[in-house]
Amino acid sequence: MEKREWTESCVLCECYETRGIHILESFLCYRCEKAIVRLEPEDPEYLEAIKKLRKIKAATLLS
């Protein structure tokens, strides 16, 4: 019997992954979760991550 793993699309990198966390109805992969924790507010990637994470709130409000 073949074992299949469930994958979901990450709200930040949009890659399909098996490991990560759910925030409301969105999925954040393990790699992006670890990257966010290490970001400093002065980092340009920080602002980009914030913009993408706002999708979570917008998606929840629209559903």
Side-chain angles (χ1 to χ4, degrees), residues 38-55:
R38 292 184 179 101
L39 286 176
E40 295 292 329
E42 301 82 29
D43 193 329
E45 290 181 36
Y46 179 84
L47 291 175
E48 190 63 32
I50 295 299
K51 288 178 188 176
K52 290 182 178 182
L53 289 172
R54 285 188 179 137
K55 288 187 220 176

Side-chain angles (χ1 to χ4, degrees), residues 14-55:
E14 299 178 355
C15 293
Y16 282 86
E17 299 288 338
T18 57
R19 292 177 35 194
I21 61 171
H22 287 95
I23 303 172
L24 299 175
E25 295 179 4
S26 296
F27 178 74
L28 184 65
C29 76
Y30 179 78
R31 289 181 298 149
C32 288
E33 175 189 358
K34 295 299 177 193
I36 288 172
V37 171
R38 292 184 179 101
L39 286 176
E40 295 292 329
E42 301 82 29
D43 193 329
E45 290 181 36
Y46 179 84
L47 291 175
E48 190 63 32
I50 295 299
K51 288 178 188 176
K52 290 182 178 182
L53 289 172
R54 285 188 179 137
K55 288 187 220 176

